[in-house]
Amino acid sequence: MKTTLEITVGKEDTARSYGSGAVDVFATPAMIALMENTAKSVVDEYLQEDFTTVGIAISTNHIKATPIGMKVKCEATVEKVDGKKIEFKVIAWDEVGKIGEGCHTRYIINVEKFMSKLK
């Protein structure tokens, strides 16, 4: 199972905007958010109502800068399912080539039970 999502890098997606750097290029935290969102999207349609996934681990390399206005695609592929734990391979590309890759782990939760534990 896999899914691909695409965004266009905006000013709000830059390292300067995130506070993670001083330049106006696609921020590492923005790339990670895209990777998590793409992975979440892979399994969303298969979950029962009132269930979702939460990210519990991510290991990535951001290997190339991407300027504002360029498109970025991310692909997430399910690599392993162990009960409620799902492991994904994530890769991101801009219009020139690969910009990042890594592994991401998500856990299936019941939203109501999860939120009740926070009170």
Side-chain angles (χ1 to χ4, degrees):
M1 294 172 32
K2 65 182 172 181
T3 295
T4 302
L5 296 181
E6 179 179 285
I7 65 163
T8 299
V9 177
K11 188 170 183 163
E12 69 280 2
D13 302 312
T14 65
R16 184 185 313 272
S17 178
Y18 268 81
S20 64
V23 291
D24 288 324
V25 296
F26 193 45
T28 300
M31 182 186 75
I32 291 169
L34 177 60
M35 288 174 164
E36 286 202 64
N37 189 28
T38 306
K40 179 184 171 300
S41 296
V42 173
V43 296
D44 273 350
E45 67 182 276
Y46 299 100
L47 298 176
Q48 296 175 351
E49 190 174 327
D50 300 326
F51 283 80
T52 190
T53 59
V54 292
I56 62 169
I58 190 158
S59 175
T60 64
N61 291 311
H62 193 171
I63 56 178
K64 182 182 164 301
T66 302
I68 293 172
M70 191 171 278
K71 292 179 182 176
V72 173
K73 289 182 183 179
C74 179
E75 180 180 271
T77 305
V78 173
E79 294 282 296
K80 181 179 178 184
V81 177
D82 182 11
K84 294 182 179 183
K85 185 168 80 170
I86 308 169
E87 296 178 16
F88 299 86
K89 177 180 179 182
V90 288
I91 304 172
W93 301 268
D94 64 17
E95 296 171 41
V96 177
K98 187 190 299 186
I99 64 165
E101 60 188 346
C103 302
H104 177 44
T105 304
R106 300 188 69 79
Y107 202 81
I108 300 169
I109 60 152
N110 175 285
V111 175
E112 187 177 320
K113 286 181 182 179
F114 181 85
M115 295 305 291
S116 72
K117 292 178 183 178
L118 300 177
K119 296 179 183 176

